[in-house]
Amino acid sequence: MSARQAAGLIRSGMTVAMSGFTLTGYPKLVPEALAETGHAQGLTLITGASVGDGLEGVMARAGLVSRRFPYQSNPTMRRLINEGAVAYADMHLSMLPAMLRWGTGCKIDVAVIECAAVLENGLVPTCSVGASDAFVSMADKVIVELNTDVPESIVGMHDIFEIGVPPSARVIPIIHPSDRIGLPYIPCPPEKIAAVVLSDRADDRPHFPESSPAAEKIGGHILRFLEDEVEAGRLPPSLGPIQSGVGAVANAVLRSLRAGGFRGLSMYTETCQDAALELLEAGVFSDVSTTAVSLSAEAQKRFYDNLDWFKQRLVLRPQEITNHPEVVRRLGLIAMNTPIEVDLCGNVNSTHVMGGTIMNGIGGSGDFARNARLNIFATESVAKGGSISCIVPMVSHVDHTEHDTQIIVTEQGVADLRWCSPEERAELLIENCAHPDYRPQLRQYLASAKRSGIGRHIPQHPIQAWDWYARVQSGGSMMEPQE
Amino acid sequence: MSARQAAGLIRSGMTVAMSGFTLTGYPKLVPEALAETGHAQGLTLITGASVGDGLEGVMARAGLVSRRFPYQSNPTMRRLINEGAVAYADMHLSMLPAMLRWGTGCKIDVAVIECAAVLENGLVPTCSVGASDAFVSMADKVIVELNTDVPESIVGMHDIFEIGVPPSARVIPIIHPSDRIGLPYIPCPPEKIAAVVLSDRADDRPHFPESSPAAEKIGGHILRFLEDEVEAGRLPPSLGPIQSGVGAVANAVLRSLRAGGFRGLSMYTETCQDAALELLEAGVFSDVSTTAVSLSAEAQKRFYDNLDWFKQRLVLRPQEITNHPEVVRRLGLIAMNTPIEVDLCGNVNSTHVMGGTIMNGIGGSGDFARNARLNIFATESVAKGGSISCIVPMVSHVDHTEHDTQIIVTEQGVADLRWCSPEERAELLIENCAHPDYRPQLRQYLASAKRSGIGRHIPQHPIQAWDWYARVQSGGSMMEPQE
């Protein structure tokens, strides 16, 4: 069927679920056709996580979307959400498929799934699984975009396991990150497939931020911290499967593992990017479990050229499994993510600037951080040339609470918050992590909060804390004016 | 050995872990002896969760404790924490035993465990397991308080399962709440037992708050909500195992299940109190899985008199298992907890008054709410005779983030926040849950927050939000003065 014919199956007001996770494995032709015809308005758009501009941007610019779940990272979509034009619910990525399967009130009319192959009993996704297994299972109709740009030999890399719905939910029998426990395809009865659209359109290539001296320093701090944990017997020499977010800091951290001489580690994560693929090729990782392989053009070529080698070492799972608390807790993950800001109590903001303006969303960071054996939040201590401190008195939005955060790292050093009281955490964060330029005013804030008398368990002074953001609004910087 | 001799094994600066969970199953004689001699100062005190005044109050009043994990509910201990005299880290209850076993830096010198029996290979706890299995496993020495007040026929009610440490952690094979998967005792080599102290001291009886018309209304709203969910096919007729916090609202909710004619349900929770025991006796619950049975004197007598009947229907597990994300997510729990306050974005404060003053702690509410199939936070819409609104612009402390909360209930009605944007949540909470006296000023706040221009995704105005607390500080009420 042509993309335009297939797009005709989608009508105004429908809930449409599309494949894709971290800019890979998303349909391109049906969204383009939807934008061209404009016949379907007011759509609810669900994806696994972030998708490329060819889907998200195209549909956002055409004004087709009125409601969006569970994550996005697109400038146009972000603007529409922050203008109040698109209603957005920012959800834990493990919860999206669960909430759909549990029948909590969101019904999928049409699923559009990019596939590398259509088998008799099901669909083989391309370079991400995301929540496509749940979408296919819960949708009334499925549109397949069969993409010949992806080698058919990717068949066998996916591992699709359906947990089932309570009271019939099953144990997820993953004991080691590389365990294959399911089928190499998403089960789909042929009668559910309403259209197959042929495509040879490649994904947009993700943008990889360049590293920086600060990111390298953060990588070095984390490496030394992990070595010390092993030395003290608090971690095994194999560390534990690594989960890593994306971005310059995340890449620097991964590369530090190689510099530290680690070998034979495992990765259990939601996205495998260039840095992780390189570590797999170099033997630093012996296996990678992920829900998406999101690569630069150069790395993608190596990946496609050696699919059989990678198939032995890399498994693509549904995000419901990669991010599942059961597996994350059992495997003993080391979760590494990048916050926007961290406050003196140890609360982490991962989603909002100045409290109200969404950036992307919480993604999988909550799934991983909450259930990991060890969680690390790593960021540069300042942003925007020093005018913003990433260590603040009180975060403007809480995504990870003081009960959940363990290790905070900046280029300045490491704060190990485990077993610490709020006051101890505040001191560690100021002296070990904050930029020296901000330490005096953070110390002053803490002293003032202790005196404020609202309660000494968590010393805080909300009015003074908000002054930090008010100064940004008025003068562009959190720095207090010098006398 | 006498309690005083046993207490002599504990020296200043030690980390002491004592059994007990929600005011039951804690040692009484060794703490009393420690208070009398006063020889051991600056102790770190760890328990499963809250313990009776005979432990917590006695040691707090004697000034023996300088550091406290992971939960408390005692007036003296609370005061010391809020004065900054005791350093407190308020932890998820599932995480405490895990953090100990993972070797994250807290080392237990002595464990003091109240037992109903000492067997050749291990210890049989009394009416709670809590984290005693982890304490015994990780401690250098164990002091047993063998309590003859608890019938020995309680042997067989406990089910102790050790998960192990990654990379050797095991699947927790609980498929149904009543499944027994482990041993009826806590394994303990005899040579680890440094003392056995005989006791016949009963637990302090917990205080059960009386019900109120508002609590009854909340119970009625939740009952109708659950019935509607079943009717709409969003829940099975068996609902899902019930987890319930403690207090007047929790009890009213449980009793509403009986009024609604439900039968054969399961409970999977951390505390079984009178209301739950009654439902088990009445057949509303066919089985109860818990880590503590904390009863009034009258209910305790029924329990002790019929231990063989209860042993077929009630299982006492470690808190590591009752609160474990793996089991909570697999079983599809309905988690019901009581917040201090809820804000318009859906964030919940369960721990702090006015941001800085701790009440008790997060307890298991995070373990359950985050991983449940359905979570419900239920509270009266106002406190202190109407001078405090429990629906506020921005909570003064975040324990459960907007990503985690689903259903909010007050005596006014129900707000179903699932799949809603922050602005939609705010409107639902104002119109369905807030007390009518506070609706005008909440509407005014929301309108002002939308105009404030900091970002429309989450409309918020932190300065105006904090005014609500400033009014409490200055005039004792959140209500705006009338013109």
Side-chain angles (χ1 to χ4, degrees), chain B residues 209-380:
Chain B
E210 281 176 36
S211 194
S212 67
E216 300 299 322
K217 275 192 192 167
I218 290 170
H221 288 315
I222 292 181
L223 174 63
R224 272 188 300 281
F225 171 79
L226 292 173
E227 287 170 343
D228 288 351
E229 290 291 293
V230 173
E231 179 74 23
R234 290 190 290 267
L235 277 182
S238 61
L239 298 181
I242 304 290
Q243 176 266 329
S244 172
V246 300
V249 168
N251 288 340
V253 169
L254 284 181
R255 290 184 173 125
S256 77
L257 292 173
R258 184 176 192 169
F262 282 102
R263 303 276 302 173
L265 306 181
S266 291
M267 187 169 211
Y268 193 87
T269 195
E270 60 182 25
T271 309
C272 175
Q273 293 195 321
D274 283 26
L277 201 81
E278 289 164 24
L279 296 199
L280 182 60
E281 293 170 306
V284 177
F285 291 139
S286 57
D287 37 60
V288 170
S289 169
T290 182
T291 195
V293 177
S294 184
L295 302 171
S296 68
E298 188 272 321
Q300 184 85 21
K301 184 172 182 316
R302 292 203 319 277
F303 183 63
Y304 282 168
D305 287 349
N306 298 284
L307 275 172
D308 286 334
W309 188 88
F310 283 109
K311 238 184 273 183
Q312 305 303 315
R313 292 161 183 86
L314 188 147
V315 54
L316 277 165
R317 305 182 191 280
Q319 72 194 61
E320 193 171 6
I321 305 293
T322 55
N323 291 37
H324 200 288
E326 171 175 341
V327 187
V328 172
R329 185 76 66 101
R330 183 186 303 141
L331 296 184
L333 255 61
I334 299 182
M336 301 195 282
N337 292 283
T338 305
I340 292 174
E341 57 185 4
V342 182
D343 75 19
L344 294 187
C345 185
N347 297 296
V348 163
N349 174 11
S350 297
T351 58
H352 285 76
V353 173
M354 307 282 287
T357 304
I358 187 98
M359 288 298 292
N360 302 336
I362 192 166
S365 60
D367 294 322
F368 293 117
R370 169 70 77 93
N371 292 300
R373 176 177 189 163
L374 189 69
N375 69 50
I376 300 175
F377 288 92
T379 176
E380 299 191 23

Side-chain angles (χ1 to χ4, degrees), chain A residues 67 92 357 399 403-404 424, chain B residues 67 92 399 403-404 424:
Chain A
R67 191 172 283 277
H92 296 296
T357 303
D399 293 292
H403 312 288
D404 295 322
E424 292 166 337
Chain B
R67 191 171 281 279
H92 296 296
D399 293 292
H403 312 286
D404 295 321
E424 292 166 335

